[in-house]
Amino acid sequence: MSRLSETYPPDRVVLREVGLRDGLQMVDRYPSTTAKTEWLRQESAAGVGHFEIGSFLPASSMPQFADVRQLIDVCDDLNVHSAALVLNDRGAVDAVQTLVGEIVTVVSATEEHSQANARRSQKEAIALVGRTVDLARNAETQPVVHAGISMAFGCSIAGEVDPDDVVRIAVACAEAGANVIGLADTVGVAGPDQVGDVVRRVRNELGNVTLSIHLHDTRGMGIANAYAALDAGVRVIDGSLAGLGGCPFAPGATGNVVFEDLVYLCERKGFATGIDLEKLFSVRELAATEMPNEQLSGGLPRAGTPRQINWRA
């Protein structure tokens, strides 16, 4: 069995918890390494198996991710899958020298956001995907390479995004060797029909490539869009504990789809996640203590799981 099929089995839904990366990008105060370790430990005990835990960026610009290497080792000790973001060659080189299970690169669907987010063109970003793939293939651990297409459903800088451009970029990333192609609603502008349409277009072009979806709940469409993505065949979905998150280089980008609500959606649709929601709820207490000024969102944590019906049915 390949590393990719072990990480993302095609016959089941995998939920990636991105709270320790995307969730911490814009916070005023972030958890200590000890608290992050406990976050991982508690979520692992609740059945969460996939985490995006930081970025290989200079600590001077993103001090909240200075402990990314330590958290990768924590994930290895817990026997859970770790992913980390890289935005340049130095980050990719550093990443392959660790035990990280997945390296996430980003290609923007618009040139305007590409320059604002990473100070490079789309062409240069796709070239970085290829170089990262080469590094990963030659690394002892051979991590999965995930090419995320940001602003795939609309851009707060450039406006409308042509789905044909998203398909073109997805094809280029696949040709560069990316194992996973991600579609990101970076600023939460998408609706369910649009999500389903773009996913189907990419799948029609690339066949059985592993697709992921990364959704923000900026306008309350996160769960509806996740539903549409599932119906269109996506089996890897990102969510953030308590809906934490945002992008400092994307005006208007607020929190991610709430991970807890996403678990409930999948279970109600008949996809077993293996995640114990009651145990997951307790991690919110840790987040609230470490980041008292952050809003913690989520319909399910507010209302609780139904007691009088079989909510997994």
Side-chain angles (χ1 to χ4, degrees):
M1 184 179 292
S2 69
R3 177 75 183 258
L4 177 63
S5 58
E6 287 180 350
T7 304
Y8 297 119
D11 59 346
R12 59 173 290 232
V13 167
V14 174
L15 302 181
R16 299 171 75 250
E17 211 281 83
V18 302
L20 288 171
R21 201 278 297 174
D22 199 334
L24 302 185
Q25 286 195 139
M26 296 179 66
V27 297
D28 295 326
R29 170 177 160 184
Y30 51 87
S32 66
T33 302
T34 299
K36 290 179 184 179
T37 299
E38 183 62 14
W39 181 322
L40 288 167
R41 189 195 66 77
Q42 288 188 27
E43 286 202 354
S44 172
V48 182
H50 293 70
F51 298 89
E52 194 167 306
I53 44 78
S55 302
F56 283 90
L57 293 169
S60 58
S61 61
M62 287 286 184
Q64 60 268 56
F65 303 134
D67 55 3
V68 63
R69 293 168 181 79
Q70 292 166 264
L71 296 184
I72 289 168
D73 290 341
V74 170
C75 287
D76 186 61
D77 289 341
L78 291 171
N79 196 31
V80 295
H81 180 72
S82 63
L85 177 70
V86 305
L87 290 179
N88 52 41
D89 290 285
R90 174 61 184 272
V93 170
D94 288 347
V96 298
Q97 294 173 359
T98 72
L99 294 172
V100 72
E102 181 173 346
I103 301 174
V104 181
T105 61
V106 176
V107 180
S108 297
T110 68
E111 287 287 356
E112 293 87 343
H113 180 251
S114 187
Q115 293 293 341
N117 186 52
R119 299 178 185 175
R120 64 167 56 91
S121 68
Q122 288 178 341
K123 184 177 180 180
E124 291 169 330
I126 293 168
L128 175 61
V129 174
R131 294 194 296 273
T132 303
V133 168
D134 289 341
L135 286 168
R137 286 174 175 169
N138 290 311
E140 183 176 349
T141 56
Q142 295 191 329
V144 168
V145 176
H146 180 146
I149 304 174
S150 60
M151 300 292 185
F153 302 97
C155 178
S156 57
I157 301 173
E160 296 286 339
V161 172
D162 188 336
D164 289 342
D165 288 338
V166 178
V167 173
R168 172 182 56 81
I169 294 168
V171 169
C173 290
E175 290 177 345
N179 306 111
V180 180
I181 305 296
L183 302 174
D185 186 18
T186 312
V187 286
V189 298
D193 289 348
Q194 181 187 14
V195 169
D197 176 61
V198 173
V199 168
R200 281 186 284 271
R201 289 188 189 209
V202 173
R203 287 180 62 84
N204 286 342
E205 192 69 31
L206 293 179
N208 292 324
V209 67
T210 301
L211 281 184
S212 75
I213 194 89
H214 179 94
L215 301 167
H216 284 244
D217 200 36
T218 310
R219 292 165 179 84
M221 289 285 100
I223 287 294
N225 289 338
Y227 191 108
L230 285 166
D231 279 355
V234 171
R235 293 294 179 264
V236 182
I237 309 180
D238 289 356
S240 178
L241 181 79
L244 295 166
C247 177
F249 306 108
T254 54
N256 292 265
V257 64
V258 177
F259 189 78
E260 302 92 303
D261 291 350
L262 192 58
V263 173
Y264 186 70
L265 168 68
C266 290
E267 294 283 353
R268 290 296 283 174
K269 280 185 67 65
F271 297 107
T273 65
I275 297 171
D276 185 318
L277 278 167
E278 297 299 333
K279 290 182 179 179
L280 188 61
F281 291 164
S282 67
V283 190
R284 293 170 64 94
E285 299 174 13
L286 184 155
T289 299
E290 292 291 314
M291 299 177 288
N293 297 326
E294 298 302 317
Q295 178 179 338
L296 304 185
S297 303
L300 192 70
R302 183 171 57 250
T305 54
R307 301 298 184 186
Q308 304 304 318
I309 62 173
N310 178 12
W311 61 270
R312 291 184 183 272

